[in-house]
Amino acid sequence: MRAGTGLLWLCLFGYALGAQAAGTASIPADPLDSSRWRYIVAEHFRDARLMFDERVQVRAPDAVEDGRATPVFVRISGLDDVRRIRVLADAVAPGAVLDYFPDSGAAARDLSLGFGLRLAQATPLRAAVLTGDGVWHIGGRWIDAQGGGCAAPSMTLPESAGAGKGLAPGIEARAWPRPAGYQRLKFRIQAPASARESWPAITQITISDSAGRLRARLVPGKTLDPTAVFTLDIASREPLHIDVRDARGQRYERGVGSAARALP
Amino acid sequence: MWARCIVVLCLWLPCAVAPAFADGYYDLAPQRIAPDTYVFLGALEAFDFDNHGAVANSGFIVTEQGVVVIDTGPSRLYGEAMRAAIARVTERPVVRVYITHAHADHFLGNNAFAGVPIAALPATAQTIRSAGEAMARHLYDRVGAAMRGTSVVVPDEIIDRRADPLVDYGDHRLELIATAGHSPADLMILDRRTGVLFAGDVVFHDRAPATPHGDFAGWQRALTTAADSGFRIVVPGHGPVAENDTPLEQTGAYLRWLAERLRAGAARGDSAAELMFEPLPPRWAALAVQPAEYRRSVTYLYPALEGATLK
């Protein structure tokens, strides 16, 4: 029995090695020198065209300070026809940290995305930006495990306890006008403090304008901090509508007034 | 990361066979800054494997009644190195330890001072009791083997804030000044005989102030208290000793700038990690541990300000 299982694993391992080797030739060297890079490529970018691109900037602290909330900001400038932004943390693979589908109809050359991560270990953090020509443009940086200094220890929340208390969260939001007809939308999904530990996962967030046009769609992964502030730049100053769905099928919504009217 | 693990292994192996190697971690040379008064200056760095966590200043005063120690550093070995250095200056015993505040680089040498009363403000003792172990673990992760043998010793003498703040050690009259702002309780000690103010982390000098537990308004009040204390020499918690107000003014100006930077960022709608990478003005970029300390400040202090802009 044991020998049989071992043989099976050996076969699988051999198959995996072969599969890896087949794809290795075209994998560009990782500027972050991550030991997991080829597995990341195998999982997310198999047979895709990849390039490391300075136009994709990932900003985050050098080290995790508070394991519950590490702020991250992704800025994409000068890339045309962005279809999708996939945020990856090598050490918390498999799966993406976050998928962001911007408004593909807009000529969005400049996009920003801010969010919080629950992170307890050192990891490369990457943003992969898929453009209409099928190329993934990748930028990233390392986040170290713990910050140093005259500081408190990192504290990481335990995994969600599962059973919910059925408390409906609210959405706090605001929009700021930005240059070139953009607006910056920030929002935070707020649960009562007592419910935070047992909150169902957020499965999808959509942002649409007053005409019903989809402006952004976010699909959070497990390590995303669902209580952190999300920041998005939207190529419109129309009033927006935020629609959040969770794993229990609940839906929370709210409108955000026109950023143009918020001008002083 | 792997390089670090290998470094840890290499440090541990010789330790296991040659305990004397431990003596090499801290090369503490007391600097005499006033009659009977000495300081150990910490590195102007964040914790790492090379500085072994010795990033804060500590000090001692040799009085007729014995030696008064202010802060005990990041580890037992540091505390022991302090005691050895003190013994090279005087034969008098250590009679009291004061802990300025409950941050790991200031009190984790306590267990080198067994049998000596260790005094601190109530909130300092409380924080060390509740969070000391987690802080020690954090420091172990950062600095490695130099931390071995370190355990948390909670101060056993609570300073009563309503009691007489003047304590005489022979002809050294010490004034215990209770403030808050850098942390929930910040003790400063003024030696009225020499005019030396041990300011703890109320005052930083040429090193960016660490603000994770900072309260800007309280901290500015503490700086005013320090400025009004009539000191002649100030020992900052981090950075060089000074015979003027410069470190106080520098700390106050930085904190005012930081508070305004965070406020303006929240008002503009900046995202936290976006604001973190805004360049620093040359004056503040020139401080030690920048931009890391500024970025830590954003991590800790910005979420509340940012959250308050949403509704």
Side-chain angles (χ1 to χ4, degrees):
Chain A
M1 182 62 200
R2 277 190 80 111
T5 311
L7 198 62
L8 178 63
W9 278 115
L10 201 63
C11 290
L12 283 173
F13 184 58
Y15 173 77
L17 273 184
Q20 283 296 335
T24 303
S26 59
I27 298 176
D30 176 19
L32 298 182
D33 198 23
S34 161
S35 60
R36 292 194 54 86
W37 172 238
R38 54 200 195 98
Y39 300 102
I40 294 288
V41 172
E43 184 186 351
H44 297 280
F45 309 115
R46 185 177 286 275
D47 301 326
R49 279 188 290 156
L50 297 181
M51 63 179 287
F52 292 98
D53 195 328
E54 303 239 312
R55 290 173 289 185
V56 180
Q57 294 280 328
V58 174
R59 290 170 185 176
D62 298 324
V64 172
E65 288 289 345
D66 179 344
R68 292 168 296 183
T70 297
V72 179
F73 188 71
V74 178
R75 171 166 286 157
I76 298 139
S77 49
L79 271 180
D80 284 318
D81 195 15
V82 172
R83 300 294 174 89
R84 177 177 186 172
I85 299 158
R86 167 157 272 212
V87 182
L88 299 164
D90 293 19
V92 293
V97 165
L98 177 69
D99 269 308
Y100 170 31
F101 301 85
D103 178 6
S104 57
R109 289 181 58 83
D110 297 303
L111 285 165
S112 297
L113 173 64
F115 53 92
L117 283 184
R118 290 179 172 170
L119 211 54
Q121 68 272 62
T123 182
L125 186 69
R126 308 172 193 274
V129 179
L130 179 65
T131 46
D133 56 4
V135 177
W136 286 95
H137 304 258
I138 301 176
R141 65 185 275 116
W142 269 92
I143 300 182
D144 200 355
Q146 278 180 314
C150 174
S154 285
M155 289 171 288
T156 303
L157 283 181
E159 284 292 303
S160 168
K165 296 185 178 67
L167 294 169
I171 301 172
E172 294 184 324
R174 185 169 162 189
W176 285 259
R178 290 267 150 164
Y182 276 73
Q183 65 181 310
R184 167 157 293 187
L185 173 66
K186 276 190 178 183
F187 61 93
R188 177 166 64 170
I189 303 158
Q190 283 284 61
S194 60
R196 291 226 175 123
E197 296 294 313
S198 55
W199 207 13
I202 302 297
T203 52
Q204 177 171 279
I205 301 165
T206 54
I207 315 292
S208 48
D209 64 18
S210 48
R213 174 172 165 175
L214 187 65
R215 289 291 183 172
R217 185 161 70 90
L218 293 167
V219 181
K222 276 182 224 148
T223 46
L224 198 77
D225 174 8
T227 62
V229 174
F230 289 89
T231 303
L232 296 172
D233 286 340
I234 307 280
S236 152
R237 286 200 181 157
E238 292 293 305
L240 298 170
H241 184 82
I242 305 169
D243 182 315
V244 177
R245 289 169 198 227
D246 71 24
R248 217 179 286 139
Q250 297 177 107
R251 188 172 169 183
Y252 332 107
E253 302 173 84
R254 78 160 274 178
V256 186
S258 160
R261 271 194 316 241
L263 276 170
Chain B
M1 203 57 201
W2 281 110
R4 251 185 209 166
C5 294
I6 291 162
V7 168
V8 175
L9 288 173
C10 293
L11 287 175
W12 273 102
L13 288 174
C15 289
V17 291
F21 183 77
D23 294 338
Y25 283 121
Y26 302 103
D27 181 22
L28 293 187
Q31 295 188 21
R32 186 175 176 278
I33 58 164
D36 308 330
T37 311
Y38 301 81
V39 298
F40 301 103
L41 292 175
L44 295 185
E45 299 163 354
F47 302 135
D48 65 29
F49 277 66
D50 298 319
N51 61 39
H52 312 302
V55 297
N57 298 336
S58 60
F60 64 96
I61 305 166
V62 181
T63 78
E64 289 157 352
Q65 287 185 8
V67 178
V68 174
V69 167
I70 293 119
D71 284 345
T72 61
S75 64
R76 178 179 67 88
L77 292 177
Y78 181 99
E80 287 175 356
M82 277 182 89
R83 294 201 80 157
I86 292 168
R88 289 195 289 273
V89 171
T90 177
E91 292 179 345
R92 293 178 194 162
V94 177
V95 292
R96 183 160 277 98
V97 171
Y98 288 103
I99 298 301
T100 58
H101 66 293
H103 283 162
D105 44 343
H106 296 265
F107 73 84
L108 281 171
N110 282 2
N111 65 342
F113 292 88
V116 181
I118 299 177
L121 291 168
T124 299
Q126 178 53 40
T127 304
I128 292 173
R129 184 177 294 111
S130 61
E133 291 294 341
M135 284 189 245
R137 276 200 304 278
H138 172 72
L139 207 51
Y140 264 101
D141 290 343
R142 295 306 299 177
V143 313
M147 288 290 292
R148 68 200 178 81
T150 301
S151 61
V152 174
V153 174
V154 179
D156 52 2
E157 214 177 76
I158 304 304
I159 297 168
D160 184 349
R161 296 184 59 156
R162 291 157 305 182
D164 185 356
L166 301 178
V167 187
D168 289 329
Y169 294 90
D171 56 359
H172 284 268
R173 171 163 285 186
L174 304 189
E175 181 180 354
L176 307 182
I177 306 170
T179 67
H182 168 71
S183 77
D186 297 300
L187 176 68
M188 297 191 288
I189 296 169
L190 177 67
D191 184 337
R192 290 223 181 151
R193 164 135 180 255
T194 58
V196 173
L197 177 68
F198 285 91
D201 282 5
V202 171
V203 177
F204 283 70
H205 189 195
D206 294 344
R207 192 266 192 218
T211 68
H213 308 116
D215 164 60
F216 288 123
W219 199 334
Q220 294 289 355
R221 284 196 299 275
L223 284 165
T224 303
T225 304
D228 293 345
S229 69
F231 75 89
R232 291 206 296 274
I233 297 170
V234 59
V235 181
H238 300 257
V241 174
E243 295 184 21
N244 52 45
D245 272 343
T246 302
L248 286 69
E249 286 166 2
Q250 191 187 66
T251 303
Y254 179 82
L255 295 173
R256 278 191 296 278
W257 167 81
L258 177 62
E260 173 54 23
R261 159 78 61 113
L262 298 177
R263 189 207 61 76
R268 274 198 304 272
D270 284 0
S271 188
E274 179 181 34
L275 183 61
M276 233 173 246
F277 282 75
E278 282 287 309
L280 300 176
R283 183 183 181 193
W284 303 133
L287 299 178
V289 204
Q290 291 284 45
E293 203 61 74
Y294 161 69
R295 292 179 184 169
R296 293 179 68 225
S297 295
V298 176
T299 299
Y300 281 94
L301 302 177
Y302 196 60
L305 293 168
E306 184 182 36
T309 65
L310 308 178
K311 47 190 186 279

